[in-house]
PDB file of all heavy atoms in Angstrom:
ATOM      1  N   TYR B 335      35.203  -4.806  61.250  1.00  0.00           N
ATOM      2  CA  TYR B 335      34.095  -5.575  61.268  1.00  0.00           C
ATOM      3  C   TYR B 335      32.931  -4.600  61.563  1.00  0.00           C
ATOM      4  O   TYR B 335      32.978  -3.920  62.460  1.00  0.00           O
ATOM      5  CB  TYR B 335      34.042  -6.762  62.354  1.00  0.00           C
ATOM      6  CG  TYR B 335      32.734  -7.444  62.407  1.00  0.00           C
ATOM      7  CD1 TYR B 335      32.725  -8.784  61.990  1.00  0.00           C
ATOM      8  CD2 TYR B 335      31.609  -6.976  63.032  1.00  0.00           C
ATOM      9  CE1 TYR B 335      31.489  -9.612  62.053  1.00  0.00           C
ATOM     10  CE2 TYR B 335      30.423  -7.704  63.140  1.00  0.00           C
ATOM     11  CZ  TYR B 335      30.427  -9.028  62.657  1.00  0.00           C
ATOM     12  OH  TYR B 335      29.290  -9.668  62.747  1.00  0.00           O
ATOM     13  N   THR B 336      32.047  -4.412  60.653  1.00  0.00           N
ATOM     14  CA  THR B 336      30.990  -3.540  60.753  1.00  0.00           C
ATOM     15  C   THR B 336      29.581  -4.185  60.754  1.00  0.00           C
ATOM     16  O   THR B 336      29.337  -4.978  59.840  1.00  0.00           O
ATOM     17  CB  THR B 336      31.039  -2.442  59.657  1.00  0.00           C
ATOM     18  OG1 THR B 336      32.298  -2.016  59.524  1.00  0.00           O
ATOM     19  CG2 THR B 336      29.943  -1.372  59.838  1.00  0.00           C
ATOM     20  N   GLY B 337      28.729  -4.001  61.844  1.00  0.00           N
ATOM     21  CA  GLY B 337      27.482  -4.623  61.762  1.00  0.00           C
ATOM     22  C   GLY B 337      27.337  -5.540  62.915  1.00  0.00           C
ATOM     23  O   GLY B 337      28.101  -5.522  63.879  1.00  0.00           O
ATOM     24  N   TYR B 338      26.366  -6.521  62.945  1.00  0.00           N
ATOM     25  CA  TYR B 338      26.154  -7.386  63.830  1.00  0.00           C
ATOM     26  C   TYR B 338      25.446  -8.657  63.357  1.00  0.00           C
ATOM     27  O   TYR B 338      24.405  -8.589  62.824  1.00  0.00           O
ATOM     28  CB  TYR B 338      25.302  -6.830  65.064  1.00  0.00           C
ATOM     29  CG  TYR B 338      25.136  -7.750  66.233  1.00  0.00           C
ATOM     30  CD1 TYR B 338      26.133  -8.011  67.024  1.00  0.00           C
ATOM     31  CD2 TYR B 338      23.864  -8.293  66.437  1.00  0.00           C
ATOM     32  CE1 TYR B 338      25.957  -9.040  68.118  1.00  0.00           C
ATOM     33  CE2 TYR B 338      23.648  -9.138  67.458  1.00  0.00           C
ATOM     34  CZ  TYR B 338      24.690  -9.523  68.346  1.00  0.00           C
ATOM     35  OH  TYR B 338      24.445 -10.344  69.408  1.00  0.00           O
ATOM     36  N   ALA B 339      26.084  -9.876  63.361  1.00  0.00           N
ATOM     37  CA  ALA B 339      25.457 -11.081  63.009  1.00  0.00           C
ATOM     38  C   ALA B 339      25.633 -12.167  64.159  1.00  0.00           C
ATOM     39  O   ALA B 339      26.780 -12.333  64.561  1.00  0.00           O
ATOM     40  CB  ALA B 339      26.229 -11.613  61.730  1.00  0.00           C
ATOM     41  N   GLU B 340      24.528 -12.576  64.532  1.00  0.00           N
ATOM     42  CA  GLU B 340      24.498 -13.545  65.717  1.00  0.00           C
ATOM     43  C   GLU B 340      24.691 -14.986  65.135  1.00  0.00           C
ATOM     44  O   GLU B 340      24.313 -15.281  63.942  1.00  0.00           O
ATOM     45  CB  GLU B 340      23.071 -13.557  66.420  1.00  0.00           C
ATOM     46  CG  GLU B 340      22.831 -12.442  67.207  1.00  0.00           C
ATOM     47  CD  GLU B 340      21.559 -12.448  67.806  1.00  0.00           C
ATOM     48  OE1 GLU B 340      20.492 -12.180  67.234  1.00  0.00           O
ATOM     49  OE2 GLU B 340      21.486 -12.919  69.062  1.00  0.00           O
ATOM     50  N   PRO B 341      25.285 -15.909  66.026  1.00  0.00           N
ATOM     51  CA  PRO B 341      25.232 -17.342  65.536  1.00  0.00           C
ATOM     52  C   PRO B 341      23.845 -17.662  65.242  1.00  0.00           C
ATOM     53  O   PRO B 341      22.961 -17.483  65.978  1.00  0.00           O
ATOM     54  CB  PRO B 341      25.783 -18.010  66.760  1.00  0.00           C
ATOM     55  CG  PRO B 341      26.399 -16.827  67.635  1.00  0.00           C
ATOM     56  CD  PRO B 341      25.766 -15.644  67.334  1.00  0.00           C
ATOM     57  N   GLY B 342      23.738 -18.320  64.007  1.00  0.00           N
ATOM     58  CA  GLY B 342      22.334 -18.839  63.588  1.00  0.00           C
ATOM     59  C   GLY B 342      21.436 -17.652  63.099  1.00  0.00           C
ATOM     60  O   GLY B 342      20.476 -17.952  62.558  1.00  0.00           O
ATOM     61  N   GLY B 343      21.960 -16.489  63.120  1.00  0.00           N
ATOM     62  CA  GLY B 343      21.124 -15.327  62.604  1.00  0.00           C
ATOM     63  C   GLY B 343      21.207 -15.034  61.191  1.00  0.00           C
ATOM     64  O   GLY B 343      20.553 -14.279  60.613  1.00  0.00           O
ATOM     65  N   TYR B 344      22.149 -15.772  60.494  1.00  0.00           N
ATOM     66  CA  TYR B 344      22.321 -15.443  59.078  1.00  0.00           C
ATOM     67  C   TYR B 344      22.143 -16.756  58.298  1.00  0.00           C
ATOM     68  O   TYR B 344      22.359 -17.889  58.886  1.00  0.00           O
ATOM     69  CB  TYR B 344      23.768 -14.816  58.792  1.00  0.00           C
ATOM     70  CG  TYR B 344      24.890 -15.617  59.464  1.00  0.00           C
ATOM     71  CD1 TYR B 344      25.520 -16.452  58.666  1.00  0.00           C
ATOM     72  CD2 TYR B 344      25.290 -15.320  60.817  1.00  0.00           C
ATOM     73  CE1 TYR B 344      26.606 -17.251  59.241  1.00  0.00           C
ATOM     74  CE2 TYR B 344      26.281 -16.133  61.434  1.00  0.00           C
ATOM     75  CZ  TYR B 344      26.975 -16.981  60.593  1.00  0.00           C
ATOM     76  OH  TYR B 344      28.025 -17.691  61.120  1.00  0.00           O
ATOM     77  N   ASP B 345      21.942 -16.604  56.903  1.00  0.00           N
ATOM     78  CA  ASP B 345      21.839 -17.880  56.178  1.00  0.00           C
ATOM     79  C   ASP B 345      23.001 -18.201  55.235  1.00  0.00           C
ATOM     80  O   ASP B 345      23.027 -19.257  54.641  1.00  0.00           O
ATOM     81  CB  ASP B 345      20.467 -17.897  55.445  1.00  0.00           C
ATOM     82  CG  ASP B 345      20.179 -16.624  54.655  1.00  0.00           C
ATOM     83  OD1 ASP B 345      21.089 -16.180  54.010  1.00  0.00           O
ATOM     84  OD2 ASP B 345      18.934 -16.243  54.618  1.00  0.00           O
ATOM     85  N   ARG B 346      23.894 -17.220  54.954  1.00  0.00           N
ATOM     86  CA  ARG B 346      25.060 -17.517  54.165  1.00  0.00           C
ATOM     87  C   ARG B 346      26.135 -16.358  54.507  1.00  0.00           C
ATOM     88  O   ARG B 346      25.824 -15.269  54.923  1.00  0.00           O
ATOM     89  CB  ARG B 346      24.698 -17.719  52.794  1.00  0.00           C
ATOM     90  CG  ARG B 346      24.412 -16.368  52.130  1.00  0.00           C
ATOM     91  CD  ARG B 346      24.415 -16.631  50.639  1.00  0.00           C
ATOM     92  NE  ARG B 346      23.143 -17.375  50.264  1.00  0.00           N
ATOM     93  CZ  ARG B 346      22.851 -17.786  48.948  1.00  0.00           C
ATOM     94  NH1 ARG B 346      23.767 -17.594  47.985  1.00  0.00           N
ATOM     95  NH2 ARG B 346      21.751 -18.416  48.702  1.00  0.00           N
ATOM     96  N   VAL B 347      27.342 -16.840  54.179  1.00  0.00           N
ATOM     97  CA  VAL B 347      28.448 -15.899  54.152  1.00  0.00           C
ATOM     98  C   VAL B 347      28.960 -15.747  52.681  1.00  0.00           C
ATOM     99  O   VAL B 347      29.170 -16.702  52.025  1.00  0.00           O
ATOM    100  CB  VAL B 347      29.550 -16.400  55.099  1.00  0.00           C
ATOM    101  CG1 VAL B 347      30.750 -15.345  54.993  1.00  0.00           C
ATOM    102  CG2 VAL B 347      29.076 -16.585  56.482  1.00  0.00           C
ATOM    103  N   VAL B 348      28.962 -14.425  52.287  1.00  0.00           N
ATOM    104  CA  VAL B 348      29.414 -14.172  50.900  1.00  0.00           C
ATOM    105  C   VAL B 348      30.822 -13.612  51.044  1.00  0.00           C
ATOM    106  O   VAL B 348      31.055 -12.610  51.691  1.00  0.00           O
ATOM    107  CB  VAL B 348      28.414 -13.154  50.216  1.00  0.00           C
ATOM    108  CG1 VAL B 348      28.968 -12.733  48.845  1.00  0.00           C
ATOM    109  CG2 VAL B 348      27.034 -13.781  50.178  1.00  0.00           C
ATOM    110  N   PHE B 349      31.703 -14.137  50.154  1.00  0.00           N
ATOM    111  CA  PHE B 349      33.007 -13.628  50.089  1.00  0.00           C
ATOM    112  C   PHE B 349      33.280 -12.815  48.816  1.00  0.00           C
ATOM    113  O   PHE B 349      32.759 -13.277  47.807  1.00  0.00           O
ATOM    114  CB  PHE B 349      34.082 -14.639  50.201  1.00  0.00           C
ATOM    115  CG  PHE B 349      34.176 -15.428  51.482  1.00  0.00           C
ATOM    116  CD1 PHE B 349      33.564 -16.548  51.770  1.00  0.00           C
ATOM    117  CD2 PHE B 349      34.955 -14.845  52.543  1.00  0.00           C
ATOM    118  CE1 PHE B 349      33.557 -17.269  52.934  1.00  0.00           C
ATOM    119  CE2 PHE B 349      35.079 -15.436  53.749  1.00  0.00           C
ATOM    120  CZ  PHE B 349      34.397 -16.647  53.925  1.00  0.00           C
ATOM    121  N   ARG B 350      33.973 -11.690  49.006  1.00  0.00           N
ATOM    122  CA  ARG B 350      34.370 -10.833  47.730  1.00  0.00           C
ATOM    123  C   ARG B 350      35.828 -10.672  47.945  1.00  0.00           C
ATOM    124  O   ARG B 350      36.275 -10.160  48.779  1.00  0.00           O
ATOM    125  CB  ARG B 350      33.534  -9.545  47.804  1.00  0.00           C
ATOM    126  CG  ARG B 350      34.180  -8.384  47.229  1.00  0.00           C
ATOM    127  CD  ARG B 350      33.606  -7.080  47.493  1.00  0.00           C
ATOM    128  NE  ARG B 350      32.298  -6.915  46.689  1.00  0.00           N
ATOM    129  CZ  ARG B 350      31.940  -6.024  45.876  1.00  0.00           C
ATOM    130  NH1 ARG B 350      32.851  -5.020  45.640  1.00  0.00           N
ATOM    131  NH2 ARG B 350      30.853  -5.922  45.208  1.00  0.00           N
TER     132      ARG B 350
END
Side-chain angles (χ1 to χ4, degrees):
Y335 178 108
T336 307
Y338 180 72
E340 287 182 278
Y344 51 93
D345 49 40
R346 73 171 74 186
V347 179
V348 174
F349 289 98
R350 150 188 288 239

